Amino acid sequence: MTRIAPELALTLAAVVDEGTLDAAAARLHITPSAVSQRIRALEEQLGRVLLIRSKPVRPTEAAHPVIRFAREMALLEHDATAALGIERERVSMPLAVNADSLATWFLAPLARLATRHPVVFDLHRDDQDFTAGLLESGTVMGAVTSRAQPVAGCSVNALGTLVYEAVATPAFAAAWFGAVRTALVEPDAAALGAAPLIDFDRRDDLQSRWLIARGVQPEAPPRHRVPASHDFAEATRHGLGWALLPRLQSQAALEAGELIRLGGPPVAVPLYWQQWKLRSDLLDAVADEIVAEGRRVLEH
């Protein structure tokens, strides 16, 4: 029977986390040669290639269950040593989160957790439609996702809804939509087809969904792309284009008159917390804190 040696699996996870054999060696306090030997031994033991030696290294499909095994062992060891009152190094917990949650509500529960538990968080930012894939690959232990259907081996809790509204600066609205200074304008389809908008990146379809609901061909307007949530909001406040912002992020600027609403239907994105089905006191504490915060601040 083939068994996965825990030390070798943990070394593989460290290499994937750090991106290079040298960085993993520094983290594990061994030589890069020893890291390479451990990975080679694990690949020979399992009869599969586990790492693509690029920069940074990339795990193969065969590596994913081994990495998950390593992360689960680290969590269980943490719980066992905590129960015994033995002090140990902080456990690293990789989590996935969408950019707008990261910019608005997600960090507060993590900060509270870090004051009570010996944990460091390794955050992976991706669109909410894609974070579930990081769970499937074993890259992360938990994720904020728009996917309600549980990933295999994971549990799901509803968090609430992140609601987006189309907004622009008063000056932008005046220039492109002929609007006088008001809290709400209703641009027509022709104006929306010509006015520049801001996308987060090429996978961001929120603005396109809103345009379609207004009867506008989504490929018509020129698009800026600003792939960072805070900078995306700043670009909107500077008048680079109009955009859909979460109410959590735009409310203060709307109240101050720095932004105005463009009308039209808001776009609602239901969010869920998915995590591995692993009996771990630490992972359960993380879930409890994140789910409670999401249900407190998100709309229902």
Side-chain angles (χ1 to χ4, degrees):
M1 178 185 295
T2 300
R3 294 184 180 274
I4 300 173
E7 183 181 64
L8 303 185
L10 290 167
T11 301
L12 175 65
V15 172
V16 172
D17 287 346
E18 299 298 329
T20 67
L21 272 64
D22 288 350
R27 171 172 153 184
L28 297 172
H29 308 293
I30 59 177
T31 66
S33 176
V35 171
S36 180
Q37 289 170 11
R38 288 184 184 182
I39 299 301
R40 191 178 307 114
L42 183 59
E43 290 179 326
E44 290 174 357
Q45 183 184 81
L46 299 179
R48 290 168 174 81
V49 174
L50 301 174
L51 276 184
I52 297 171
R53 269 71 167 179
S54 55
K55 288 191 176 181
V57 299
R58 291 185 291 116
T60 65
E61 284 294 321
H64 294 159
V66 182
I67 294 169
R68 174 163 177 159
F69 169 64
R71 300 203 195 285
E72 289 178 344
M73 278 195 305
L75 265 185
L76 294 173
E77 182 186 19
H78 172 274
D79 289 348
T81 53
L84 293 169
I86 300 172
E87 186 175 349
R88 59 155 301 181
E89 292 183 2
R90 290 177 178 267
V91 65
S92 176
M93 181 169 290
L95 306 175
V97 59
N98 59 308
D100 289 332
S101 290
L102 185 60
T104 53
W105 66 272
F106 192 73
L107 291 178
L110 300 192
R112 293 193 293 269
L113 286 157
T115 65
R116 301 197 304 268
H117 301 278
V119 59
V120 290
F121 296 105
D122 179 12
L123 299 184
H124 297 248
R125 189 192 67 192
D126 206 341
D127 185 271
Q128 61 271 2
D129 293 336
F130 299 95
T131 49
L134 297 173
L135 274 173
E136 292 173 320
S137 69
T139 302
V140 299
M141 301 175 183
V144 176
T145 174
S146 59
R147 182 168 161 179
Q149 184 69 21
V151 171
C154 292
S155 59
V156 183
N157 282 288
L159 293 169
T161 300
L162 203 53
V163 178
Y164 294 78
E165 293 180 314
V167 296
T169 63
F172 183 91
W176 289 94
F177 307 136
V180 296
R181 189 174 182 86
T182 177
L184 174 66
V185 299
E186 292 279 357
D188 60 25
L192 287 170
L197 62 83
I198 309 173
D199 280 334
F200 186 85
D201 57 23
R202 284 175 173 78
R203 295 191 297 185
D204 177 13
D205 68 347
L206 290 181
Q207 283 69 224
S208 293
R209 287 161 57 183
W210 187 85
L211 286 171
I212 291 169
R214 298 293 299 270
V216 181
Q217 292 296 321
E219 65 274 8
R223 294 171 181 264
H224 303 287
R225 292 189 174 92
V226 183
S229 187
H230 175 268
D231 297 335
F232 182 92
E234 282 297 296
T236 310
R237 283 194 285 267
H238 282 293
L240 188 64
W242 69 267
L244 282 138
L245 291 182
R247 285 176 179 165
L248 287 175
Q249 199 172 36
S250 63
Q251 192 59 40
L254 287 165
E255 292 173 356
E258 297 172 359
L259 295 173
I260 59 175
R261 293 182 175 89
L262 301 185
V267 176
V269 179
L271 296 177
Y272 302 86
W273 176 251
Q274 294 210 33
Q275 70 177 47
W276 293 350
K277 285 182 179 176
L278 176 68
R279 295 306 305 167
S280 162
D281 292 340
L282 179 58
L283 189 56
D284 289 346
V286 170
D288 290 345
E289 196 74 49
I290 290 173
V291 171
E293 183 74 8
R295 290 178 178 176
R296 185 181 70 82
V297 303
L298 297 174
E299 300 189 31
H300 296 274

